[in-house]
C-alpha cells in the first residue's frame, strides 16, 4: 500500500459514495508524508502522544504494549423484489490499547482519540501488570508493507451507489431469467475499507489499508408447492474491479443450480460411512477438524486435544496443510497481522506430521519461538488472539474420479453452511447443504440438509486418499472465536475420509 | 443515561435530515459500558474495559430507503455524513412499502418503569469483581487430579438507548447485566480434554448467584468423560432447559415478516393451523417488571403487548414489522418476540427422565443447522443415554435429524424448570421418535 493510495482513499468524498468525516478531507493535499506519518495525521495523533500513551500503558510494569488505531467505512446496497431499494453505510473509528505481562493481557479502547482518553485507556489496560521492573517504549520505526497481497485498482471510496446498481440489477435479472421456478431474489453487495495504524513499545509501527468486498445472492424457487432456496456468495480483498459481468453471470448460474439440486435431493440414511469431500469449500473440514485446535492459545493452556502432538505423525503422509495469508486477494489474506508480524505461509502439517501451531505474540513468547503472524482481531474493540488466515490442504496425486470409484457405499459432499468444534474433546461438525450418495463407486441420488460429526485426530487419521485438484474457495467465510468474527479463507483438494458420522433417518 | 447533549444531537440530526430532503427520519442513539475480568487457574489472565456510543439514522426520502450509522457523534462530521447518505439514497428505486409506523401504533408511555437497570451499577470496585471470579475458581482448584485448567470470569455491562422519529415517537431504554461463569478443562480418556462450564447472570448484582458455579462447571465436565456414540435409531429426546430454546428458535425465525414476505418460511400460510402437539402453548409476555427481555416498544417504536404465539399447538400470530406488512398487504404486529413463556408442565428434568424407557437426554449442541424453507434440520449433540427411567452413560459425536413440524407434533412432555433469568423461558422438553445417528 503506497502513500498515494492512502491519500486517495482517505481523502476524497464522492457524492453518493460514502459518508466521510470532514477531518479526513484535509489530507488530500498532504503529498509529502510517509504512509505512517499520513496515518498519524489522519488519526490526529503525534509521536509524542503515542510515546506518552505507551509509557502510561507500561507504568505498572507491563512488558509490552501496543496501540491499534482503526478507521473503517462500510457500505451495503441491497436488492429485493426486483429493485435495488436499500442502502446503508457505517463509519467506525477508535483505538485500542493492549498491555501484556507474561501471558496476561489488559485491554481498553476509546472511540474519541484524544490524548486524555488514550491515557485513561492505557492506565486501565496497565492494571494487568504489577511489577517494579519498568520497560521503556522504543522510538518508532516504520515497518513498511513489503508485499501487498491485495492491491486495489478502484477504491470503494470512489464508487457511487449508482455505479454499483446496474450489476446488482443484472444479477437479479439473470437469476430470474434462468429458471421459471424462481419467485424471489435478494442480492447484497457489501464493501468495507479499513485504515489501520499500529504502534508498539518495541518501536514497530505500520499503516495498512484493508479492502473487502462480499457479494451475496439468494433466490426462492417453487415447484408444485415445494419451496427451496438457492444461493451463491463471493468474498475478496478487492476494490470495485471485483464486480464484472462475468462474476455476475457465474453467480447467477450458481444461485439457480444450488436451489435446483435441492428439489431432487433426499435426506440420506444416517450413520457412520465413508465421506468424499469435493475440492474447495470442503476446507471447512480442515478448519474444524484441526485448524482451531492448532491455535496456540489453546496449546499454551493445554486445552487442545493436539497439545502434546507437535512433531508427531497425526495422519496419512499424503497430507500437508498450510495456513497461508499470502494468497492474493483472498478474504483471509493479510499483509501484516494485528501485532505487526508480516503474513507468511506456515506449514502446520507436513507429510502427515504436525509441524507448527498458529501463534500470536503471547504463545510464541511462551514457547520461545517466532510468532507465525496469526495474531488477529475483529476490530479496535478486541484483543488480538491466534486465528487462522487461509487454511488449505495441498494437492495429492490421485484423480477425484478414482477416489469416488473406490467407495462402495457413502456420500460425496461439496456445499456447506457452517461448522463448529470442541477444542478439547476434538469433536467437530459441519452442516452439509447438498451432496450426493455414492453407490458402487458412482455419484447417484442428491442429498441435502445433514450434519456431519467426527473427532479431529481420528478423522485426520482416516484421511486415506488425496486428489490432485486443490481449489481455494472464495465464499464469504467468517470465522468466530471468543466473540470475535474475522474473515477467513479455506481450500481443499478432494479427499476421502474413511469414516464419519452422517446425520439422517434411521 | 443518555445525556441531554446527546438527545439534543439526535433532535438536531433528525431536523437536519429533514432539511436535506427526508420526509421521514428515525434517529437512535445508544451508549454503554462493559467490564470483564477473566482468570485462569485463579490468576488474572485478561482484563477488558470499555465504553462506547453510536448513532443510527434511518432515512425515508422520496419513497426511498437508506440508513447510516457511526460512532463519531460530532455535529460537523454528521453534517457531511447525513448529506452524503441522503444523496446515496436518492439513487435507489422507489419502494413505497418503506414507511415509518403509523403513529397510533407507537408506545405512548404511562407505564411503570420496567426496572432493568441496577441503580448500583458501577459501585462495585474492580478488586471486588476480581475477588468474585477468584472465589468461583477457588471452589474447585486442587480438588481433582484431572483438572487441566479452570477459567473463571466476571463480566458486567450497562446500556442505554434513545430513539425519536419524525412522526412523533420518543422512547428511552436502560438496562444492566452481571455475569459470573466458569469453564473447566479436564483430562479425559486418551488424548481427549473435555471441557464444559456453568454460568449465572442477572440484571441486578444483588440477585446474581455467586456460589456453586465452579462446582457445577466441574461436575458438568466430569460427567461427560468417556462419552461415546450409541447405536443409530429412534429415541425419545429429552432436551434440558439450557438447550430447549434452540428447538424453538427456528420456528420464531420463520414467523418473521422478512421470511414470510420472501416465501422462505416453512410456516408460510400456516397461521391458524395446528403445528405442534396439544402441549405446545407459548405466550409472548413483554411487560414483566425486572425481567430480562422486557420492553414496552420494539426497534420501530411500536408498542409491545401480550400475545398468544401457539395455543395447544395452533399457530396464532406472525412477527410482522411495518415494511413487510406493507409489502404483503397485511396488518403489522410487532417486529419480534420479547419474553417467551412456554406453558410449563409439572415435572422437572429428572421427573421427565423417570418416565422414559429408551431415550437420550441432550445437554449440549455441536453445530448443525436447518433449512428455512422446509424445516428440515440436522444438529450435532451430546448428552446421556436414558434406559428404563435412568441416565446410564454419556454420549457424544451423534446427530439428530428431522423436520421441525414433525418434531413439535411429537412433543410429549413439558417440564416445569424454565430458567427465569432467560428472556426465553423454555423448560425441559421431551419429543418422541427422534432420529439419532451414531455408531
Amino acid at each position: 500500500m503506497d502513500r498515494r493510495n492512502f491519500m486517495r482513499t482517505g481523502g476524497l468524498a464522492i457524492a453518493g459514495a460514502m459518508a466521510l468525516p470532514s477531518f479526513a478531507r484535509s489530507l488530500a493535499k498532504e503529498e509529502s508524508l510517509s504512509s505512517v506519518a499520513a496515518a498519524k495525521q489522519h488519526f490526529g495523533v503525534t509521536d509524542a502522544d503515542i510515546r506518552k500513551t505507551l509509557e502510561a500503558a507500561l507504568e505498572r510494569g507491563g512488558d509490552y504494549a501496543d496501540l491499534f488505531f482503526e478507521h473503517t467505512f462500510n457500505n451495503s446496497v441491497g436488492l429485493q423484489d426486483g429493485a435495488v431499494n436499500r442502502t446503508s453505510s457505517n463509519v467506525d473509528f477508535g483505538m485500542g490499547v493492549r498491555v501484556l505481562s507474561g501471558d496476561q493481557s489488559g485491554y481498553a479502547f476509546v472511540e474519541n482519540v484524544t490524548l486524555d482518553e488514550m491515557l485513561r485507556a492505557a492506565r486501565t489496560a496497565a492494571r494487568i501488570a504489577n511489577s517494579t521492573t519498568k520497560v521503556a517504549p522504543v522510538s518508532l520505526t516504520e515497518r513498511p508493507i513489503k508485499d501487498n497481497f491485495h492491491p486495489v485498482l478502484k477504491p470503494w471510496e470512489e464508487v457511487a451507489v449508482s455505479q454499483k446498481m446496474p450489476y446488482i440489477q443484472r444479477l437479479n435479472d439473470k437469476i430470474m431469467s434462468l429458471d421459471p421456478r424462481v419467485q424471489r431474489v435478494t442480492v447484497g453487495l457489501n464493501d468495507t475499507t479499513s485504515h489501520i495504524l499500529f504502534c508498539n513499545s518495541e518501536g514497530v509501527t505500520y499503516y495498512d489499508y484493508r479492502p473487502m468486498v462480499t457479494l451475496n445472492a439468494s433466490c426462492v424457487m417453487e415447484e408444485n408447492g415445494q419451496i427451496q432456496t438457492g444461493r451463491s456468495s463471493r468474498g475478496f480483498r478487492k476494490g470495485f474491479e471485483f464486480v464484472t459481468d462475468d462474476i455476475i453471470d457465474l453467480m447467477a448460474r450458481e444461485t439457480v443450480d444450488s436451489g435446483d439440486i435441492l428439489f431432487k435431493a433426499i435426506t440420506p440414511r444416517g450413520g457412520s460411512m465413508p465421506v468424499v469431500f469435493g475440492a474447495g469449500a470442503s476446507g471447512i473440514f480442515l478448519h474444524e477438524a484441526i485448524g482451531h485446535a492448532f491455535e496456540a492459545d489453546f496449546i499454551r493452556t493445554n486445552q487442545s486435544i493436539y497439545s502434546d502432538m507437535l512433531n508427531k505423525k497425526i495422519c496419512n503422509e499424503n497430507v500437508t496443510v498450510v495456513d497461508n495469508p499470502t494468497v492474493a486477494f483472498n478474504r483471509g489474506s493479510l499483509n501484516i497481522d494485528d501485532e505487526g508480524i508480516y503474513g507468511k505461509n506456515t506449514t502446520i502439517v507436513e507429510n502427515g506430521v504436525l509441524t507448527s501451531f498458529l501463534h500470536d505474540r503471547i504463545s510464541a513468547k511462551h514457547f520461545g519461538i517466532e510468532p507465525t503472524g496469526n495474531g488477529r482481531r475483529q476490530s479496535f474493540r478486541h484483543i488480538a488472539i491466534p486465528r487462522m488466515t487461509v487454511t488449505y490442504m495441498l494437492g495429492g496425486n490421485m484423480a477425484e474420479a478414482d477416489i469416488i470409484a473406490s467407495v462402495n457405499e457413502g456420500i460425496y459432499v461439496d456445499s456447506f453452511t457452517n461448522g463448529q468444534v470442541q477444542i478439547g474433546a476434538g469433536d467437530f461438525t459441519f452442516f452439509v447443504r447438498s451432496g450426493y450418495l455414492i453407490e458402487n463407486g458412482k455419484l447417484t441420488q442428491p442429498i441435502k440438509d445433514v450434519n456431519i460429526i467426527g473427532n479431529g485426530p481420528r478423522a485426520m487419521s482416516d484421511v486415506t486418499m488425496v486428489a490432485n485438484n486443490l481449489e481455494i474457495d472464495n465464499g464469504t467465510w467468517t470465522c468466530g472465536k471468543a466473540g470475535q468474527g474475522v474473515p477467513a479463507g479455506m481450500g481443499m483438494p478432494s479427499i476421502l475420509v474413511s469414516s464419519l458420522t452422517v446425520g439422517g433417518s434411521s | 443515561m443518555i445525556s441531554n447533549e446527546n438527545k439534543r444531537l439526535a433532535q438536531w440530526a433528525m431536523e437536519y435530515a429533514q432539511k436535506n430532503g427526508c420526509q421521514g427520519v428515525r434517529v437512535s442513539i445508544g451508549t454503554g459500558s462493559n467490564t470483564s475480568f477473566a482468570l485462569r487457574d485463579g490468576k488474572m489472565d485478561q482484563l477488558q474495559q470499555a465504553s462506547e456510543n453510536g448513532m443510527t439514522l434511518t432515512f425515508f426520502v422520496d419513497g426511498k430507503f437508506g440508513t447510516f450509522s457511526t460512532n463519531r457523534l460530532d455535529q460537523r462530521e454528521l453534517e457531511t455524513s447525513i448529506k452524503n447518505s441522503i444523496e446515496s439514497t436518492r439513487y435507489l428505486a422507489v419502494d413505497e412499502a418503506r414507511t415509518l409506523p403509523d403513529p397510533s401504533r407507537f408506545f405512548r408511555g404511562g407505564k411503570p418503569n420496567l426496572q432493568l437497570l441496577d441503580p448500583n451499577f458501577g459501585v462495585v470496585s474492580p478488586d471486588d469483581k476480581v475477588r468474585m471470579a477468584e472465589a468461583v475458581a477457588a471452589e474447585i482448584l486442587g480438588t481433582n487430579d484431572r483438572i487441566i485448567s479452570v477459567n473463571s470470569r466476571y463480566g458486567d455491562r450497562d446500556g442505554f438507548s434513545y430513539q425519536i422519529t419524525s412522526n412523533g415517537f420518543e422512547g428511552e431504554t436502560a438496562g444492566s447485566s452481571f455475569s459470573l461463569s466458569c469453564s473447566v478443562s479436564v483430562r479425559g480418556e486418551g488424548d481427549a480434554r473435555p471441557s464444559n462450564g456453568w454460568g449465572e447472570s442477572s440484571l441486578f448484582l444483588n440477585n446474581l448467584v455467586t456460589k456453586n458455579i465452579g462446582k457445577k462447571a466441574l461436575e458438568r465436565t466430569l460427567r461427560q468423560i468417556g462419552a461415546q456414540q450409541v447405536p443409530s435409531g429412534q429415541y425419545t429426546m429429552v432436551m434440558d432447559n439450557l438447550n430447549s430454546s434452540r428447538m424453538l428458535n427456528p420456528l420464531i425465525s420463520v414467523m418473521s415478516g422478512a421470511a414470510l414476505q420472501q416465501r422462505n418460511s416453512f410456516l408460510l400460510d400456516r397461521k391458524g393451523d395446528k403445528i405442534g402437539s396439544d402441549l405446545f402453548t407459548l405466550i409472548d409476555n413483554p411487560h414483566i417488571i425486572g425481567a430480562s427481555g422486557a420492553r414496552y416498544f420494539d426497534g420501530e417504536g411500536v408498542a409491545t403487548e401480550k400475545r398468544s404465539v401457539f395455543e395447544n399447538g395452533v399457530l396464532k400470530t406472525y412477527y410482522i414489522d411495518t415494511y413487510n406488512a406493507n409489502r404483503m398487504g397485511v396488518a403489522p404486529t410487532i417486529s419480534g418476540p420479547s419474553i417467551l413463556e412456554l406453558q410449563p408442565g409439572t415435572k422437572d428434568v429428572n421427573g421427565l427422565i423417570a418416565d422414559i424407557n429408551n431415550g437420550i437426554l441432550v445437554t449440549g449442541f455441536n453445530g448443525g443447522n436447518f433449512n428455512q424453507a422446509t424445516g428440515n434440520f440436522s444438529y450435532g449433540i451430546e448428552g446421556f443415554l436414558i434406559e428404563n427411567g435412568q441416565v446410564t452413560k454419556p454420549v457424544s459425536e451423534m446427530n439428530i435429524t428431522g423436520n421441525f413440524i414433525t418434531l413439535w407434533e411429537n412433543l410429549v412432555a413439558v417440564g416445569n424448570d424454565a430458567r427465569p433469568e432467560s428472556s426465553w423461558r423454555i423448560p425441559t422438553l421431551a419429543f418422541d421418535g427422534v432420529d439419532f445417528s451414531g455408531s
Side-chain angles (χ1 to χ4, degrees), chain B residues 2 6 10 13-14 25-31 53-58 68-70 73 160-165 169 171 299:
Chain B
I2 301 289
N6 275 342
M14 187 172 81
V25 189
R26 178 187 300 122
V27 183
S28 51
I29 284 192
T31 66
N53 60 59
M55 176 188 275
T56 301
L57 291 115
T58 305
F68 171 73
S69 54
T70 181
L73 304 189
F160 305 89
S161 78
Y162 176 69
Q163 190 190 129
I164 51 175
T165 67
F169 176 73

Side-chain angles (χ1 to χ4, degrees), chain A residues 9 29 44 64 110 160 172 203 217 225 274 282 449 480:
Chain A
T9 56
K29 297 188 189 82
Y64 167 89
V110 297
N172 171 76
S282 298
D449 296 336

Side-chain angles (χ1 to χ4, degrees), chain A residues 315-335:
Chain A
C315 55
N316 189 300
E317 62 201 17
N318 293 323
V319 174
T320 294
V321 181
V322 299
D323 181 81
N324 183 6
T326 75
V327 177
F329 304 111
N330 190 277
R331 189 170 150 75
S333 69
L334 284 181
N335 295 330

Side-chain angles (χ1 to χ4, degrees), chain A residues 340-391:
Chain A
I341 308 296
Y342 288 126
K344 64 173 186 227
N345 189 351
T346 303
T347 301
I348 56 178
V349 176
E350 189 166 8
N351 301 327
V353 175
L354 196 171
T355 47
S356 177
F357 295 115
L358 300 173
H359 292 280
D360 66 356
R361 173 177 283 276
I362 295 177
S363 67
K365 190 171 172 203
H366 181 96
F367 291 109
I369 57 170
E370 287 298 307
T372 54
N374 290 88
R376 303 182 64 191
R377 40 183 133 200
Q378 178 180 320
S379 77
F380 69 89
R381 294 187 177 83
H382 303 87
I383 208 154
I385 50 176
R387 303 300 295 262
M388 284 172 264
T389 60
V390 188
T391 314

Side-chain angles (χ1 to χ4, degrees), chain A residues 39-317:
Chain A
K40 281 184 221 157
Q41 207 171 80
H42 181 92
F43 286 100
V45 291
T46 64
D47 278 345
D49 296 339
I50 290 168
R51 185 173 182 90
K52 280 179 200 157
T53 307
L54 287 170
E55 279 169 359
L58 296 174
E59 71 187 15
R60 298 273 296 260
D63 40 47
Y64 167 89
D66 60 33
L67 314 182
F68 186 87
F69 298 82
E70 176 184 359
H71 197 177
T72 291
F73 303 91
N74 174 274
N75 295 296
S76 75
V77 189
L79 172 144
Q80 183 182 331
D81 299 317
V84 184
N85 50 19
R86 185 164 42 81
T87 174
S88 66
S89 296
N90 178 261
V91 174
D92 206 20
F93 184 96
M95 192 248 359
V97 188
R98 179 173 66 147
V99 179
L100 300 185
S101 174
D103 284 4
Q104 305 169 285
S105 39
Y107 200 71
F109 67 81
V110 297
E111 296 177 306
N112 248 340
V113 181
T114 62
L115 180 58
D116 281 355
E117 293 259 334
M118 291 200 297
L119 288 173
R120 205 145 53 96
R123 292 192 173 114
T124 300
R127 289 209 304 264
I128 194 69
N130 189 5
S131 162
T132 48
T133 320
K134 294 260 175 81
V135 178
V138 174
S139 293
L140 297 174
T141 308
E142 179 163 352
R143 183 165 287 186
I145 300 300
K146 301 187 295 193
D147 299 300
N148 186 356
F149 303 117
H150 31 257
V152 160
L153 299 178
K154 291 183 197 164
W156 291 102
E157 286 97 327
E158 297 177 10
V159 184
V161 169
S162 56
Q163 292 167 273
K164 302 171 185 172
M165 288 173 64
Y167 292 100
I168 297 172
Q169 191 71 49
R170 180 184 170 102
L171 186 44
N172 171 76
D173 298 350
K174 196 88 190 175
I175 292 170
M176 294 296 291
S177 72
L178 282 174
D179 196 309
R181 292 171 296 177
V182 175
Q183 300 297 312
R184 294 279 195 282
V185 175
T186 55
V187 179
L189 175 65
N190 191 296
D191 62 77
T192 303
T193 305
S194 292
H195 301 275
I196 306 295
L197 171 66
F198 174 90
C199 316
N200 74 14
S201 56
E202 294 174 352
V204 173
T205 182
Y206 72 80
Y207 163 76
D208 194 22
Y209 172 88
R210 299 178 179 174
M212 183 71 75
V213 55
T214 63
L215 180 59
N216 292 287
S218 70
C219 71
V220 174
M221 301 166 79
E222 290 187 41
E223 181 180 295
N224 301 326
Q226 200 196 342
I227 298 178
Q228 293 292 352
T229 55
R231 60 183 65 163
S232 172
S233 72
R234 289 290 186 282
F236 285 100
R237 290 197 182 275
K238 284 187 177 180
F240 186 49
E241 64 276 9
F242 154 72
V243 189
T244 62
D245 287 348
D246 286 350
I247 192 78
I248 296 295
D249 293 351
L250 181 66
M251 286 181 66
R253 175 43 71 190
E254 278 181 12
T255 306
V256 171
D257 286 352
S258 76
D260 172 66
I261 188 175
L262 299 182
F263 286 105
K264 306 162 193 157
I266 57 158
T267 302
R269 198 173 52 78
S272 295
M273 62 187 76
V275 177
V276 176
F277 289 87
S282 298
I284 193 169
F285 165 75
L286 288 179
H287 186 97
E288 306 299 355
I290 61 172
H292 277 296
F294 277 35
E295 291 164 344
D297 46 349
F298 300 124
I299 305 297
R300 72 174 164 83
T301 56
N302 271 318
Q303 293 178 71
S304 166
I305 194 163
Y306 294 100
S307 295
D308 298 330
M309 297 190 195
L310 185 65
N311 298 323
K312 293 191 177 151
K313 192 154 189 295
I314 61 164
C315 55
N316 189 300
E317 62 201 17

